[in-house]
Amino acid sequence: MKDVILGIDIGGTNTKFGFLDRDGISLVQGELSTNEGETVHDFLRVLYQEVMTKFKKIEDEANLIGVGVGAPNGNYYTGTIENAPNLKWHGSVPLVDLLKQYFKMPVFLTNDANAAAIGEMVYGGAKNMNNFVVITLGTGLGSGIVVNGQLVYGHDGNAGEIGHTLVNVNGRGRMCGCGRKGCLETYVSATGIKRTVYKLLADSTDYSELRSVSFNDLTAEMITQAAKRGDKIAIDAFEYTGKVLGMKLADTVAHLSPEAIFLFGGLVRAEEFLFDPVRYHMEKNLLHIFKGKVKILPSGLGLNNTAVMGAAALAWNEMERGATA
Amino acid sequence: MKDVILGIDIGGTNTKFGFLDRDGISLVQGELSTNEGETVHDFLRVLYQEVMTKFKKIEDEANLIGVGVGAPNGNYYTGTIENAPNLKWHGSVPLVDLLKQYFKMPVFLTNDANAAAIGEMVYGGAKNMNNFVVITLGTGLGSGIVVNGQLVYGHDGNAGEIGHTLVNVNGRGRMCGCGRKGCLETYVSATGIKRTVYKLLADSTDYSELRSVSFNDLTAEMITQAAKRGDKIAIDAFEYTGKVLGMKLADTVAHLSPEAIFLFGGLVRAEEFLFDPVRYHMEKNLLHIFKGKVKILPSGLGLNNTAVMGAAALAWNEMERGATA
């Protein structure tokens, strides 16, 4: 029998789960729609059935000892999901308490970016690091910050919102979903680079294969592929995205002096089109004492199933620290 | 006999020291020129003599158990002072090792802003806080960050350089002593507000008592007194200083979600002329989840002898955590 953790990643569309051992090996995994049922209670009933059906396959070899959950707006301190704009459950959802009615064991919750950071520490490229930052590039820009080997939650569980630092202050810049203008994620995210492509298509007369794609149809993956084929607009869009991110990461370094900053999510597939300008512009904007010291790295978790790994890593990490949630 | 710590604050001009008990009460204190002798070895010989002369007065009641030092560019990890621009000892000075030749007990070093943060935690307004930030407003802008009850040193000991985050990126803004342009401390510090006064005197035709003072003679205290007398230029200078600080602190909150941000140093004497615009512009620039939650407070250490208190607090804090440096 080996100890395993159930990792659950609740996304806006799908929920993925898996049973992972301490080395990050997934023994069995599954997926369902996050929109199952009308209420969170309906959803959890279906989730539990699916999870136990899968667990039956490994019950002779696996001992389930804990549950880790990553979810948008998941609050580590309160165990609740708070007003997540991309989920249909509104208000404050006491997810940890609800899950404990099914699982009589420790249950831990955090948001997806924090889970990614813990995943990096437990399974990924930060195994031997005590001070690092993970930037997740998806629809928005999330971040998880680790200081002295511990995740930074702040006094209310809401720390790590680097996506909402301001590129432009004084009310200038792009409209953000949060209601303000100029937030970093309006420039640096899958959505942000789409906006940059459209700005460049408007401002220039260069040929681009992206001129034939509507805003709604355009994806970050298309921009990545276009850049790899030499499309100037796509390359310039990555250059601009990397420049804005690099500049703002210089501020992050001035606060935290991390050993490394990991980039996580689909945009990372653009490789040097993204990493080169991020590194160049971060270095250019760093105070001299930090120059040449901070690594910009792709996530060591790879690109598949990483959110479930992060959720499982959260629980492994907490249980090894002796937390009892 | 009560246990005491020797706190030493090494400044560009003077070095102050005191023997403090666990409650922050100074039993006896002293001061000497930081420029004593030619080398750091000469200086430490004189310092030790002065310190032991003072200690003689309390040796029947006090048991010296450790030494804490705050110094510009003091590195907690290495125990060295690294290329401090305001000290005449150049290169890397192994201060902890040198002091241990005199004091056969634990010796701890950090920079002045970190010492201020630990002082706030041990003796000041942050006694019951685990997540807070201290901003020191002197010639420059220093900062000390506490997360989960621990000071943030980063992977190399250099974390907490909020004074060198960028108000303007892309190479715009005021020249900074660090060689870059647009650093926060070029706007927000005793020097920064002088520059703002001169900018306002240049741009406007308003009467101001400060028009009769040269740049070299102008002090932050004069600007504070002028503001309290209703001088429009001085009030506007505080408004602008507070606005820039408030805007950038919104980014700090997005990283760390602290319970409070303490302002420390002479500029704090301006009271509401500084605090009102800082609070207003920070709130205005905060992401909604942080609004109304982060207190902007004056240092609870008061305005006298605070750096020595911070240095002593460093050693108390380390020794209670069981560190053996």
Side-chain angles (χ1 to χ4, degrees), chain B residues 203-215:
Chain B
D203 288 349
S204 86
T205 56
D206 291 331
Y207 165 83
S208 170
E209 62 179 80
L210 302 174
R211 288 198 188 273
S212 64
V213 187
S214 77
F215 191 88

Side-chain angles (χ1 to χ4, degrees), chain A residues 114-128:
Chain A
N114 286 341
I118 297 173
E120 207 65 52
M121 186 163 61
V122 173
Y123 298 133
K127 275 181 189 163
N128 299 311

Side-chain angles (χ1 to χ4, degrees), chain B residues 61 76 131 168 185 201 213 217 223 230 257-258 283 290 298 312 320:
Chain B
E61 50 170 326
Y76 169 80
N131 293 277
N168 287 301
E185 74 172 25
L201 290 175
V213 187
D217 288 342
I223 304 169
S257 192
E283 283 296 326
F290 300 119
E320 285 171 4

Side-chain angles (χ1 to χ4, degrees), chain A residues 51-238:
Chain A
V51 161
M52 293 319 289
T53 303
K54 297 289 186 183
F55 186 65
K56 283 250 176 320
K57 299 182 180 175
I58 56 166
E59 65 183 352
D60 293 341
E61 51 170 326
N63 179 34
L64 181 60
I65 59 166
V67 181
V69 186
N73 292 30
N75 187 307
Y76 169 80
Y77 287 146
T78 60
T80 56
I81 297 178
E82 300 286 341
N83 304 302
N86 299 326
L87 299 179
K88 70 173 183 182
W89 317 318
H90 297 301
S92 177
V93 177
L95 196 82
V96 167
D97 285 347
L98 295 174
L99 277 171
K100 281 187 168 184
Q101 294 172 13
Y102 293 98
F103 300 99
K104 310 298 179 192
M105 58 188 67
V107 178
F108 303 91
L109 169 70
T110 192
N111 72 37
D112 9 13
N114 286 341
I118 297 173
E120 207 65 52
M121 186 163 61
V122 173
Y123 298 133
K127 275 181 189 163
N128 299 311
M129 295 185 186
N130 285 314
N131 294 277
F132 66 93
V133 175
V134 171
I135 301 288
T136 66
L137 300 167
T139 310
L141 185 157
S143 59
I145 300 170
V146 172
V147 163
N148 296 337
Q150 296 168 18
L151 206 86
V152 178
Y153 288 109
H155 89 292
D156 62 350
N158 286 325
E161 288 287 354
I162 296 177
H164 294 281
T165 59
L166 296 171
V167 173
N168 286 302
V169 287
N170 284 320
R172 288 195 296 268
R174 296 180 182 173
M175 282 290 299
C176 184
C178 76
R180 302 181 306 160
K181 287 183 180 175
C183 293
L184 180 59
E185 75 172 25
T186 67
Y187 297 87
V188 183
S189 62
T191 320
I193 196 169
K194 280 177 59 172
R195 295 169 83 162
T196 298
V197 164
Y198 263 58
K199 175 80 165 65
L200 293 172
L201 289 175
D203 288 350
S204 88
T205 55
D206 291 331
Y207 165 83
S208 171
E209 62 179 79
L210 302 174
R211 288 198 187 272
S212 64
V213 187
S214 76
F215 191 88
N216 285 343
D217 288 341
L218 185 62
T219 64
E221 182 60 19
M222 285 180 200
I223 304 169
T224 298
Q225 292 308 322
K228 290 187 176 179
R229 282 191 289 268
D231 189 285
K232 182 170 185 308
I233 292 286
I235 293 169
D236 287 353
F238 274 106

